[in-house]
Amino acid sequence: MNLRIAAISLAIAATATLSAQSLLPDTTGCRARYAVSIDFGKSYLSGICAMLRTDDALVASVVNEFGVSLLDFTYSHKNNKVKLGELTPKLNKWYIRRTLRSDLRHLLGGLSQGDTVYENTRRHIRYSFVPITVTDTISHAATE
């Protein structure tokens, strides 16, 4: 009996995984926006990420609520690499850049599978990229 329940739950989990849609822009010129939260335990960064799909890469920028750019990066699909551009001075340290490159690569892989959260258990950093839809933006602007 327990074996049947385990088999059924495994089949349901496999079906749910197969039906997950990519949350990344899929065609050239396509754009996506995300509400971003990066938790470091005692502190966090939050803002909005804007992503643009080019022929061979994703180009993205994260800005906070005040419009200050936190980081810019490019993700190449061909060789699965993240290249960091401009970073805010607090993040512009070699050891932070290395962690960000690795974590963003894992996060973007997760977004392509439909996951919105990535957690770096070694450094205790939690990244959350939740898609923002146009209707969310319009309805929020209408209430103000």
Side-chain angles (χ1 to χ4, degrees):
M1 182 68 174
N2 288 338
L3 184 59
R4 286 183 186 167
I5 293 172
I8 291 170
S9 63
L10 183 62
I12 291 170
T15 324
T17 306
L18 291 175
S19 66
Q21 292 182 347
S22 175
L23 299 174
L24 295 174
D26 53 355
T27 57
T28 301
C30 189
R31 299 171 191 270
R33 290 183 297 264
Y34 304 91
V36 175
S37 174
I38 304 172
D39 295 316
F40 302 101
K42 292 183 179 181
S43 64
Y44 72 96
L45 296 172
S46 63
I48 296 174
C49 176
M51 237 180 248
L52 172 68
R53 175 75 180 250
T54 62
D55 290 332
D56 57 346
L58 281 172
V59 180
S61 181
V62 178
V63 295
N64 69 6
E65 290 88 357
F66 302 107
V68 177
S69 178
L70 297 174
L71 66 110
D72 299 329
F73 64 93
T74 305
Y75 174 68
S76 173
H77 298 285
K78 216 182 322 183
N79 49 8
N80 193 28
K81 291 200 178 199
V82 172
K83 182 179 179 184
L84 294 174
E86 294 293 319
L87 273 83
T88 187
K90 294 279 186 184
L91 297 176
N92 201 6
K93 313 279 190 283
W94 69 268
Y95 49 92
I96 295 174
R97 291 178 74 91
R98 182 171 57 182
T99 301
L100 275 173
R101 268 195 308 269
S102 173
D103 289 352
L104 287 172
R105 190 175 75 245
H106 287 90
L107 174 74
L108 291 170
L111 281 172
S112 68
Q113 300 295 319
D115 296 331
T116 59
V117 176
Y118 171 72
E119 190 161 349
N120 181 336
T121 55
R122 182 176 181 195
R123 306 264 185 233
H124 306 291
I125 304 171
R126 186 173 190 269
Y127 299 84
S128 173
F129 275 51
V130 179
I132 299 173
T133 60
V134 175
T135 56
D136 292 341
T137 309
I138 292 171
S139 64
H140 180 68
T143 60
E144 291 181 359

